[in-house]
Amino acid sequence: MYSLNRSCFMSNTSISGSSSPFSNYQRRRLPAKVVALSTANRDHSNGSVLLDTRSGTTTLQEMRDGYAEVVDPKSGVAGGVQDVYGEDTATEDQPVTPWAVSVASGYSLLRDPHHNKGLAFNEKERDSHYLCGLLPPTVVSQEIQVKKMMHNIRNYQVPLQRYMAMMDLQERNQRLFYKLLMDNVEELLPIVYTPTVGEACQKYGSIFNRPQGLFISLKEKGKILEVLRNWPEKNIQVIVVTDGERILGLGDLGCQGMGIPVGKLSLYTALGGVRPSACLPITIDVGTNNEKLLNDEFYIGLRQKRATGQEYAELLHEFMTAVKQNYGEKILVQFEDFANHNAFNLLEKYGTTHLVFNDDIQGTASVVLAGLISAMKFVGGSLADHTFLFLGAGEAGTGIAELIALEISKQTNMPVEETRKKVWLVDSKGLIVSSRAESLQHFKRPWAHEHEPVTKLVDAVNKIKPTVLIGTSGQGKTFTKEVVEAMSALNEKPIILALSNPTSQSECTAEEAYTWSQGRAIFASGSPFESVEYEGKVHVPGQANNAYIFPGFGLGLIMSGTIRVHDDMLLVAAEALAAEVSQENFDKGLIYPPFKNIRKISAHIAAKVAAKSYELGLATRLPPPKDLVKYAESCMYSPSYRTYR
């Protein structure tokens, strides 16, 4: 016989103190609107049911055959389906009590994405967890399930359909989702993240089914701490948050930017091994300036113009304060796709008080620096021997530029003020030069060098004579044939990085880079491109994907209990990634390793980041493990199924 609880936080306590035998009462089932509570309320050891009875109206309950029964001595019909709580007759205006039952058995177990195994439940589990008859008789392995899902996903011709199929799987069977993603990472990464996630965000209102994270809007101002406590998981280690103002190269998508935190945290688990239950996606909704969304009947966010100034700052400050209060000093907050003016301010404001990381500024910088370190094996010399020209002077451009200058400073012992002179930036008004200093935003001023004004990119190439051309503009087709040919005339092996996402916003394609440079370019992009054959030789383009860095970087911070991010951690992460590029990869023209080894790569990056944290005195998990790589691997989440008692 199952025991039932008066409160969700008590165990095995009979309600109403009744000792009457069940046989003396007529029974009927709870209404159909019974829903599952958090799995935290389940007691797997004795099969007890945790039933929320806060309204105090229930006289006696029982669990039989995997469902709850309400016992009513006044019922005149055995097994009758009476509308006990008036739910079926109530209108929208008449409140009813949302009764909830949490059972680690039967139908509810199949609806629990954290524990559902589908046809992989063995016969013993089916018998002990009341699953008999709820599944077909066949028992299949997780490997067969992966094979079946990949077959189904490949049958979809439209990338967004594949994305939706993956999100549906994540909501049905979490372990199978991560197993599928890890085993097929190179094929599925463009589906769950760039470039497909960009389209998913644009259409998020139409495809939204159920929340996968927290939405915090201006309506929640003054009670954000309470909102955070509504999230069922309590042991959160990493938060990815966006305000949706600059989603990839697509602009202001408002509340629909939630696809970015959801996608990033999927990669934190699949590529970096951080437990899914420790990850929390959050969207801060302060409105949108996107008129198309404001007029879209399917838009899911606030229908107002973006809040700015003090109102915006107060909401973000309340959020950051509440996060630290609720989750402690070591919670990692990763900022994603904030507009330039807010991104730099937030990183500067909270970098000294919180464990914060901006992937657009710092993560992009680290992965690009890794690619440049690798590229030196093709072109010779060190970073200090090269000249860098950027198209784009926003978060990504200035972040990469600064990390390059820091790495050159580290290698040469030159002051960073001197090493910055090796880096030139072009924005929408042309080359950033000292005569423009007064009108520049503060984050651009360190790059205003002495030079005559230049408005066109091709002219900047011819006058600056860079060996490396990097695109972070968010503007497609800006590395024209004229620009690439100019780079090729100046360099035997021009390094060309077209980093803007999604694919439509890439400064040039892989085919254009290889063709216009007569097959001599060292090329990498932000979004994936297919291999290109030029004059009988196959060129494999690299992808400077932030997913190389941030999952391992975050794991390193978490496993060492780091309390602040330091620039030196970004440098060692880049160096660790560059060290993973093998001679076989170089022979194919690659400056990044293949994603199939990403978990091994993430473990090495995590170890280097943790070691630097211990060296800087920023780690709190003491004493440090003797072998940080093995420790990182031991911390990683495994999606293999568990056996249930």
Side-chain angles (χ1 to χ4, degrees), residues 272-501:
V274 179
R275 291 178 297 105
S277 60
C279 300
L280 175 55
I282 294 180
T283 289
I284 305 287
D285 185 2
V286 295
T288 178
N289 295 333
N290 188 325
E291 288 292 339
K292 184 178 179 181
L293 290 179
L294 290 173
N295 296 319
D296 183 352
E297 62 179 330
F298 298 136
Y299 181 57
I300 59 175
L302 291 178
R303 294 180 185 274
Q304 66 174 63
K305 293 290 186 180
R306 277 192 172 271
T308 59
Q310 185 177 353
E311 186 179 18
Y312 179 91
E314 287 176 354
L315 186 73
L316 266 293
H317 188 68
E318 183 188 348
F319 168 72
M320 293 301 295
T321 303
V323 161
K324 194 169 178 178
Q325 182 177 346
N326 201 45
Y327 300 117
E329 187 81 18
K330 294 177 282 188
I331 179 72
L332 170 60
V333 179
Q334 178 168 314
F335 296 120
E336 281 291 337
D337 290 355
F338 286 77
N340 290 339
H341 55 281
N342 289 323
F344 288 102
N345 289 340
L346 289 170
L347 194 57
E348 183 179 356
K349 181 175 182 180
Y350 295 106
T352 56
T353 59
H354 292 67
L355 181 65
V356 293
F357 172 71
N358 187 303
D359 194 40
D360 305 301
I361 300 173
Q362 298 166 298
T364 301
S366 191
V367 75
V368 173
L369 177 59
L372 293 174
I373 293 172
S374 297
M376 295 301 105
K377 295 190 178 181
F378 288 101
V379 297
S382 65
L383 290 176
D385 301 320
H386 291 265
T387 302
F388 306 84
L389 179 64
F390 285 77
L391 177 63
E395 296 170 54
T398 54
I400 299 165
E402 183 67 12
L403 208 63
I404 290 171
L406 288 170
E407 179 68 13
I408 296 174
S409 176
K410 178 181 175 181
Q411 292 178 4
T412 62
N413 290 321
M414 293 172 59
V416 72
E417 290 77 16
E418 285 297 312
T419 60
R420 287 189 184 125
K421 294 177 181 178
K422 302 290 293 181
V423 184
W424 297 79
L425 276 65
V426 173
D427 65 8
S428 59
K429 294 182 174 62
L431 190 67
I432 294 178
V433 293
S434 54
S435 60
R436 294 178 52 197
E438 291 301 317
S439 62
L440 291 172
Q441 293 166 286
H442 68 92
F443 55 86
K444 295 182 181 180
R445 287 176 192 151
W447 313 103
H449 307 319
E450 287 293 335
H451 198 281
E452 62 181 332
V454 180
T455 54
K456 293 184 178 180
L457 177 61
V458 67
D459 293 336
V461 170
N462 288 321
K463 292 185 178 183
I464 301 299
K465 296 180 170 47
T467 52
V468 181
L469 179 64
I470 301 174
T472 61
S473 63
Q475 302 295 318
K477 306 300 181 185
T478 44
F479 286 177
T480 62
K481 182 179 181 182
E482 191 179 15
V483 169
V484 174
E485 287 180 344
M487 283 293 296
S488 304
L490 291 167
N491 303 282
E492 177 61 29
K493 291 184 177 180
I495 300 172
I496 298 175
L497 308 182
L499 303 179
S500 294
N501 286 314

